[in-house]
């Protein structure tokens, strides 16, 4: 990362002012995330559930739902994408429609339906809000770190499950999405001992921030040469550079069977990024992994809706490694 701004210096007049404003806007929006409300609960599916709160690894209070299933011997711990809460994202209404409409993601995503499917398949479910999202506590000055700070929440959820007398003997599977998937990979890198009895991982649409920002540059007409300057501004806000926040190196620490899936033509990233994350996951007979692509859409949100629309492949993966 450079410490000067030569590429911005050579841009003159109004173009420079526009680029400077856009860089600051992108850096600000990248560093802090708007919270979304919890508009749905498992009660809509006639499910018994418990409102729970538990500490992250660093003590940040996390809010969630525990949805028990009769005679279940496995719990699926579910987290969520950036900007979402455990209940989803109301991107069909303002201000989220304006936030995501340019990428076609102006539809509601109701993630509670996923909880109902997992419950009906015979799993306990713990769904929780990451720090700075939903009803969970504010932490780290409200900064979003692409999974670095949020990895503490993944570890907190594992500690919580193991601390409950009614869950100490259950098997654990993880269903992690986007920011939540990145956080899981960073947690596996930093504290591998916490994943000793985790049976498998489903990772929905993990993402490298640099790639997402490159696509944002394309939409805004920003020269790619200004990426180093954006990197500098983000580091001044968060203390992390874009390469620090890439989950690719962390993926090398995965030690559980892992299923990754992604919208192939997602306008917010490129297939090469998810492929690189997947390729970094160790691959041998004792550690199976799979990657599948969702075709026929450019909308990232369709990836988050995939499980509730076509659950069989993911349910089969969970069953294979937990039953």
């Amino acid at each position: 990362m450079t410490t000067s701004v030569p590429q911005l210096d050579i841009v003159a007049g109004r173009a420079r002012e526009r680029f400077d404003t856009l860089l600051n806007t992108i850096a600000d929006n990248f560093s802090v995330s708007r919270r979304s409300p919890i508009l749905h609960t498992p009660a809509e599916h006639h499910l018994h559930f418990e409102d729970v709160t538990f500490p992250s690894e660093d003590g940040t209070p996390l809010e969630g739902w525990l949805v028990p299933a009769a005679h279940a011997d496995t719990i699926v711990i579910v987290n969520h994408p950036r900007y979402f809460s455990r209940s989803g994202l109301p991107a069909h209404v303002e201000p989220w429609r304006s936030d995501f409409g340019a990428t076609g993601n102006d539809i509601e995503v109701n993630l509670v339906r996923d909880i109902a499917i997992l419950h009906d398949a015979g799993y306990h479910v713990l769904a929780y809000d990451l720090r700075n999202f939903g009803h969970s506590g504010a932490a780290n000055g409200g900064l979003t770190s692409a999974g670095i700070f949020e990895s503490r929440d993944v570890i907190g959820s594992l500690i919580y499950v193991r601390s409950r007398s009614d869950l100490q003997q259950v098997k654990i599977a993880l269903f992690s999405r986007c920011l939540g998937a990145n956080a899981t990979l960073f947690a596996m890198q930093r504290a591998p001992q916490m994943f000793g009895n985790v049976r498998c991982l489903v990772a929905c649409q993990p993402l490298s921030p640099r790639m997402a920002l490159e696509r944002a540059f394309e939409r805004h007409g920003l020269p790619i040469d200004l990426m180093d300057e954006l990197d500098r501004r983000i580091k001044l806000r968060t203390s992390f550079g874009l390469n620090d926040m890439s989950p690719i190196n962390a993926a090398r620490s995965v030690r559980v069977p892992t299923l990754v899936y992604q919208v192939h033509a997602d306008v917010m990233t490129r297939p090469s990024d998810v492929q690189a994350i997947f390729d970094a996951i160790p691959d041998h007979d004792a550690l199976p992994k799979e990657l599948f692509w969702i075709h026929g859409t450019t909308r990232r949100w369709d990836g988050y809706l995939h499980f509730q629309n076509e659950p069989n492949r993911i349910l089969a993966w969970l069953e294979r490694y937990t039953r």
Side-chain angles (χ1 to χ4, degrees):
M1 189 184 75
T2 60
T3 56
S4 60
V5 290
Q7 294 300 328
L8 190 58
D9 280 347
I10 65 175
V11 179
R14 292 183 179 178
R16 176 173 176 171
E17 292 178 8
R18 174 177 173 271
F19 291 164
D20 183 64
T21 299
L22 276 172
L23 288 174
N24 280 330
T25 298
I26 293 170
D28 289 342
N29 291 341
F30 178 87
S31 302
V32 179
S33 304
R34 190 194 305 276
R35 284 184 188 253
S36 63
I38 295 172
L39 299 181
H40 302 281
T41 78
E44 295 174 8
H45 297 269
H46 309 290
L47 298 177
H48 168 72
F49 68 98
E50 180 183 347
D51 287 307
V52 298
T53 183
F54 55 91
S56 176
E57 182 188 24
D58 62 6
T60 301
L62 305 178
E63 302 288 334
W65 297 310
L66 179 65
V67 184
H71 312 299
D73 64 357
T74 301
I75 187 167
V76 181
I77 302 177
V78 182
N79 62 24
H80 59 81
R82 185 173 184 175
Y83 307 107
F84 286 56
S85 73
R86 72 191 109 135
S87 82
L89 182 72
H92 60 307
V93 299
E94 296 297 344
W96 298 277
R97 176 186 286 175
S98 293
D99 289 345
F100 302 107
T103 57
N105 292 293
D106 54 353
I107 60 170
E108 182 179 26
V109 178
N110 178 355
L111 295 178
V112 177
R113 294 171 182 164
D114 294 14
I115 296 173
I117 292 169
L118 290 166
H119 173 272
D120 291 348
Y123 298 103
H124 303 303
V125 181
L126 173 65
Y128 66 96
D129 297 325
L130 296 164
R131 64 187 56 212
N132 301 314
F133 294 100
H135 288 166
S136 285
N140 312 110
L143 296 176
T144 304
S145 62
I148 297 174
F149 292 142
E150 295 83 2
S151 70
R152 302 169 186 174
D153 306 340
V154 174
I155 292 172
S157 73
L158 291 169
I159 293 171
Y160 173 69
V161 166
R162 291 167 181 152
S163 74
R164 288 184 60 123
S165 59
D166 55 344
L167 296 176
Q168 286 178 349
Q169 302 304 313
V170 301
K171 294 168 279 190
I172 298 174
L174 303 178
F175 194 160
S176 305
R177 307 178 183 99
C178 186
L179 173 62
N182 285 17
T184 299
L185 298 179
F186 280 115
M188 289 178 167
Q189 180 186 47
R190 188 169 55 78
Q193 72 279 4
M194 296 302 302
F195 296 84
N197 68 339
V198 172
R199 298 299 185 93
C200 63
L201 166 65
V202 176
C204 171
Q205 304 195 133
L207 182 68
S208 293
R210 182 180 291 274
M211 183 65 74
L213 292 171
E214 286 181 7
R215 298 309 304 271
F217 269 37
E218 293 173 5
R219 292 192 297 275
H220 291 294
L222 279 165
I224 196 63
D225 290 345
L226 295 180
M227 184 58 68
D228 283 346
E229 171 58 12
L230 178 63
D231 190 7
R232 186 186 74 88
R233 297 187 189 198
I234 287 172
K235 189 165 187 177
L236 289 175
R237 288 161 171 78
T238 67
S239 304
F240 299 112
L242 294 178
N243 290 341
D244 300 326
M245 291 185 277
S246 170
I248 293 174
N249 285 335
R252 297 187 173 95
S253 299
V254 173
R255 294 295 182 270
V256 300
T258 300
L259 178 67
V260 179
Y261 65 99
Q262 167 72 46
V263 169
H264 189 269
D266 179 0
V267 297
M268 297 177 74
T269 185
R270 291 191 180 93
S272 59
D273 180 51
V274 176
Q275 187 69 56
I277 297 168
F278 177 77
D279 289 346
I281 298 171
D283 184 16
H284 51 76
D285 291 343
L287 192 63
K289 65 177 184 177
E290 289 184 15
L291 168 64
F292 74 88
W293 300 103
I294 300 165
H295 295 283
T297 181
T298 62
R299 195 163 55 187
R300 184 172 182 82
W301 281 201
D302 287 331
Y304 302 139
L305 292 168
H306 177 81
F307 175 64
Q308 56 194 251
N309 292 326
E310 299 183 44
N312 291 343
R313 184 168 188 166
I314 294 165
L315 288 177
W317 182 267
L318 293 171
E319 182 173 7
R320 187 181 313 161
Y321 296 106
T322 63
R323 300 292 169 86

